[in-house]
Amino acid sequence: IEGQATVAYEIAAQMPGGRVPDIVMLPVGGGGLAAGVTHYFADQHRDPRFVFCEPAGAPSLRESLASGKRVKLAKVDNFVDGAAVAEIGREPLRHLKDFAADAVRLVPENRLCATMIEMLNVEGVVLEPAGALAIDALKDFSRKEIRGKTIVAIVSGGNFDFERLPDVKERALRFEGLKKYFIIRFPQRPGALRDFLEMLGPDDDIARFEYLKKSARNFGSVLIGIETKDRRNFDLLKANFDAEGVQY
């Protein structure tokens, strides 16, 4: 905890004129970073607003604060592996126990993936899921809430295995509504695939095409994944399906 409190020292040292940030966004896993940073500012008699950022699938701090005691989660989504813990640390919770549960923002894992891709493509910054928590949680603030405010979002790690990139992209596309999967009753006749392709829009791409089983002599169930550039294109695609009597 004391070692991670040096992050708060660096924040204070870099603030112009000895000012204090209005808001400090803290990613939370075991809680050591959050405990250290909050403890440092308390010792300095400085009082920024702290926002704790946890994965939605591992809200151990939020559940503990809401219950008034240390809670062990029965189930954890391990996608945000650097912050997905079933139980907040005992000593960190001792430092954090006086904060309200609503000081914790829960970050949806799929939205987090969209933030990771955005940071990579726009800023050229590689973040692991836990490292992107504080950045992503900023999306929960309205512009009015943060206008004119000095906000520090702690980006805690870039230890990202690029073998996970396809999964991150998949989650991001699905969160943004740019990729959907359909199970379609597909006719077994010449020209059926060509007829299906004609229903697609110019920005629609087939990302997956897999026969699940042949349910009848003339039909088979097909899993089709479709990516597009605008989520509204799926409304047009479904309208085409309905007009052509496609069962999905």
Side-chain angles (χ1 to χ4, degrees):
I1 291 173
E2 290 185 357
Q4 293 183 82
T6 58
V7 173
Y9 173 81
E10 291 183 40
I11 293 171
Q14 293 177 39
M15 287 295 296
R19 291 170 48 221
V20 178
D22 296 296
I23 302 172
V24 178
M25 312 283 291
L26 292 161
V28 177
L33 174 66
V37 170
T38 56
H39 185 65
Y40 175 87
F41 279 109
D43 276 356
Q44 299 296 313
H45 304 290
R46 297 180 172 191
D47 191 27
R49 175 187 172 188
F50 295 105
V51 176
F52 307 103
C53 313
E54 283 190 301
S60 59
L61 175 59
R62 181 162 179 160
E63 291 299 314
S64 296
L65 293 177
S67 300
K69 61 181 180 180
R70 193 162 170 245
V71 172
K72 185 172 184 178
L73 303 176
K75 184 179 180 181
V76 170
D77 183 336
N78 290 317
F79 177 77
V80 188
D81 48 359
V85 299
E87 193 172 20
I88 194 78
R90 188 181 306 278
E91 187 63 18
L93 183 60
R94 187 176 70 82
H95 288 275
L96 301 171
K97 61 182 175 59
D98 293 330
F99 287 96
D102 61 9
V104 182
R105 299 291 176 100
L106 300 184
V107 174
E109 281 78 3
N110 285 1
R111 190 183 75 179
L112 183 67
C113 290
T115 296
M116 292 171 64
I117 296 297
E118 181 181 359
M119 291 296 292
L120 179 61
N121 291 341
V122 177
E123 302 293 340
V125 176
V126 177
L127 297 176
E128 63 182 276
L133 283 170
I135 297 291
D136 184 85
L138 285 169
K139 295 178 179 179
D140 292 332
F141 288 98
S142 68
R143 290 182 180 273
K144 184 178 179 180
E145 284 181 282
I146 62 176
R147 185 176 291 117
K149 298 284 199 309
T150 299
I151 301 173
V152 176
I154 296 179
V155 177
S156 60
N159 185 24
F160 181 65
D161 182 354
F162 274 88
E163 290 186 0
R164 299 181 68 186
L165 189 58
D167 183 34
V168 171
K169 286 184 175 180
E170 169 86 7
R171 283 173 171 257
L173 287 169
R174 290 171 65 182
F175 172 77
E176 293 172 338
L178 300 179
K179 186 172 186 177
K180 292 184 183 293
Y181 289 90
F182 299 88
I183 295 178
I184 293 177
R185 192 166 182 255
F186 212 80
Q188 304 294 302
R189 59 171 175 76
L193 179 58
R194 182 184 63 244
D195 292 344
F196 177 80
L197 294 176
E198 289 177 352
M199 299 181 209
L200 301 181
D203 294 327
D204 299 338
D205 290 323
I206 295 178
R208 184 172 180 178
F209 189 98
E210 177 184 349
Y211 273 95
L212 300 178
K213 63 179 180 178
K214 189 173 181 180
S215 53
R217 181 178 180 181
N218 297 323
F219 293 92
S221 295
V222 176
L223 174 65
I224 299 179
I226 296 176
E227 293 181 17
T228 191
K229 294 181 179 179
D230 188 323
R231 64 170 63 197
R232 292 171 295 185
N233 290 340
F234 283 113
D235 294 330
L236 298 174
L237 181 60
K238 289 177 182 178
N240 289 340
F241 286 171
D242 294 338
E244 296 297 328
V246 175
Q247 297 182 33
Y248 63 97

